Amino acid sequence: MHFVFVIEPSFTMQAFSSAIEVLRLARKFGEGARFSYSVASLHDGPVPASNGIEVLPNRAPDDLPRGATVVVVAGAGVETRPNPELLARLRRWSREGHPVWAIASGVVRLAQAGLADGGTVAPHWEDIPYLREHHPRVEVATSLFVLNAKHPTCAGGGASADLMLNYIANAGLGDLVDEITSRLMIDGVRDGRMKQALPAEMRYATSNRACFAAIRLMEANLFDPLPLTELARRAGVSQRQLERVFKTDFGKTPKAVYSELRLAEARQEILAGHRSILDIALDYGFEPAKFSKTYRRIFGVLPSKDRR
């Protein structure tokens, strides 16, 4: 598989380099023919990333290898920077049989080209409001990446490495994945169930200041949960009033929301890391005897099976 990374000005460097590094090491360890790559752009000369560093493409956009996978990489704010030439190219490459992937805000370009209609994408959370408003036919996931789709996508950042590592693992090269993660100092490979760390205003939308303040306090105190009375006091309302606004806005009690927030964070550690489940449960303020039961009630699976 040859990957052609198509970059445009202000593309996200971390998303680009994270994917490239995985492929570089795959080539280093003897899989060069299966995981080669090059860089293309519709602009002449070096292309500046959002951090100001310039990358010099080494492939012309009219000279893609047969069957090469196109990976479009863009940066924040592309919804305000039209690029009709790139959109036309993406549609053309897709018609010609090139698989088209997208990482970071390249997911927005994929949607703007009409290629994501009817499918599921994993954009960066900053791009979710735009996609939901302007591309209702695109199903938006809050996971780090979506690999098993017509057009694989990922939220960008370090998730680009996870996308590539899972792709390599699915090719039956688990030993190669282990070798790459050890060289990149990656503690485990995150899979498609992993959710992005969304800000509070997206996870629990509310216009009530006290309610929002309480959620922020919960997020800041996941390891050492605050009593409900203390949450209410710091939010500037009575406990009864806080319970009422939570019930109105979320249909849940503050205690239930707090438990879900802590469980969600605990699950990310269970899926991604190697620490014992007992230690994770204790870190997030759960009694070991109740943790597995509550976990299964929320996620439908025991934590030990979820990790496997």
Side-chain angles (χ1 to χ4, degrees), residues 7-18:
I7 56 177
E8 61 175 315
S10 297
F11 72 95
T12 305
M13 176 61 76
Q14 186 187 10
F16 170 76
S17 62
S18 293

Side-chain angles (χ1 to χ4, degrees), residues 66-80:
R66 184 175 181 179
T69 293
V70 173
V71 185
V72 57
V73 191
V78 294
E79 70 277 5
T80 63

Side-chain angles (χ1 to χ4, degrees), residues 3 7 42 79 92 100 134 191 198 215 218-219 239 241 243 276-277 287 294:
F3 293 89
I7 56 177
L42 305 186
E79 70 277 5
R92 172 184 161 188
V100 179
H134 297 278
D191 67 19
L198 301 178
I215 290 173
M218 291 176 183
E219 290 192 314
Q239 179 176 332
Q241 184 178 356
E243 290 174 337
S276 75
I277 292 174
E287 296 180 11
T294 307

Side-chain angles (χ1 to χ4, degrees), residues 165 168-181 189:
L165 288 167
I168 293 172
N170 287 353
L173 299 172
D175 290 342
L176 177 59
V177 169
D178 292 339
E179 192 72 45
I180 293 172
T181 55
V189 182

Side-chain angles (χ1 to χ4, degrees), residues 228-285:
L228 182 55
T229 52
E230 181 64 13
L231 283 172
R233 186 189 69 79
R234 295 192 190 184
V237 295
S238 67
Q239 179 176 332
R240 179 171 295 182
Q241 184 178 356
L242 188 65
E243 290 174 337
R244 185 166 58 250
V245 295
F246 264 71
K247 194 69 174 178
T248 298
D249 284 11
F250 310 130
K252 301 174 182 178
T253 65
K255 181 179 179 181
V257 171
Y258 208 170
S259 179
E260 288 178 6
L261 285 170
R262 287 153 50 215
L263 276 170
E265 291 299 312
R267 190 186 194 201
Q268 302 307 300
E269 288 207 41
I270 287 172
L271 293 176
H274 304 291
R275 291 203 304 136
S276 75
I277 292 174
L278 175 61
D279 287 343
I280 293 173
L282 292 173
D283 279 349
Y284 285 94

Side-chain angles (χ1 to χ4, degrees), residues 21-293:
E21 281 300 288
V22 171
L23 297 176
R24 178 185 70 82
L25 288 172
R27 291 175 59 79
K28 178 179 179 179
F29 298 129
E31 295 294 339
R34 298 183 67 174
F35 303 108
S36 57
Y37 57 90
S38 55
V39 182
S41 173
L42 305 186
H43 300 265
D44 294 330
V47 181
S50 58
N51 60 6
I53 295 177
E54 296 183 335
V55 172
L56 183 63
N58 60 354
R59 180 173 294 278
D62 291 321
D63 184 32
L64 270 59
R66 184 175 181 179
T69 293
V70 173
V71 185
V72 57
V73 191
V78 294
E79 70 277 5
T80 63
R81 299 194 301 272
N83 194 340
E85 183 182 359
L86 176 59
L87 304 187
R89 288 272 188 170
L90 292 176
R91 290 189 287 265
R92 172 184 161 188
W93 286 325
S94 182
R95 288 194 303 270
E96 292 174 348
H98 291 284
V100 179
W101 296 21
I103 60 179
S105 290
V107 178
V108 172
R109 294 301 192 208
L110 189 74
Q112 290 172 337
L115 299 180
D117 287 355
T120 302
V121 298
H124 190 281
W125 61 262
E126 290 180 313
D127 293 323
I128 290 177
Y130 166 80
L131 290 172
R132 285 179 172 167
E133 180 179 356
H134 297 278
H135 298 276
R137 296 183 60 191
V138 177
E139 184 176 344
V140 175
T142 57
S143 54
L144 292 176
F145 63 86
V146 172
L147 178 58
N148 296 319
K150 181 179 180 181
H151 301 288
T153 56
C154 85
S160 297
D162 295 301
L163 175 69
M164 289 298 179
L165 288 167
N166 276 269
Y167 176 76
I168 293 172
N170 287 353
L173 299 172
D175 290 342
L176 177 59
V177 169
D178 292 339
E179 192 72 45
I180 293 172
T181 55
S182 68
R183 296 301 178 97
L184 294 179
M185 300 298 174
I186 296 176
D187 182 21
V189 182
R190 300 176 293 182
D191 67 19
R193 295 170 297 169
M194 289 285 290
K195 301 297 182 181
Q196 298 177 45
L198 301 178
E201 59 266 26
M202 292 189 68
R203 280 191 279 181
Y204 292 95
T206 176
S207 58
N208 186 284
R209 290 186 178 181
C211 200
F212 183 73
I215 290 173
R216 295 297 295 270
L217 286 167
M218 291 176 183
E219 290 192 314
N221 295 274
L222 294 175
F223 277 8
D224 190 14
L226 297 173
L228 182 55
T229 52
E230 181 64 13
L231 283 172
R233 186 189 69 79
R234 295 192 190 184
V237 295
S238 67
Q239 179 176 332
R240 179 171 295 182
Q241 184 178 356
L242 188 65
E243 290 174 337
R244 185 166 58 250
V245 295
F246 264 71
K247 194 69 174 178
T248 298
D249 284 11
F250 310 130
K252 301 174 182 178
T253 65
K255 181 179 179 181
V257 171
Y258 208 170
S259 179
E260 288 178 6
L261 285 170
R262 287 153 50 215
L263 276 170
E265 291 299 312
R267 190 186 194 201
Q268 302 307 300
E269 288 207 41
I270 287 172
L271 293 176
H274 304 291
R275 291 203 304 136
S276 75
I277 292 174
L278 175 61
D279 287 343
I280 293 173
L282 292 173
D283 279 349
Y284 285 94
F286 289 98
E287 296 180 11
K290 295 182 179 180
F291 180 69
S292 292
K293 182 179 179 180

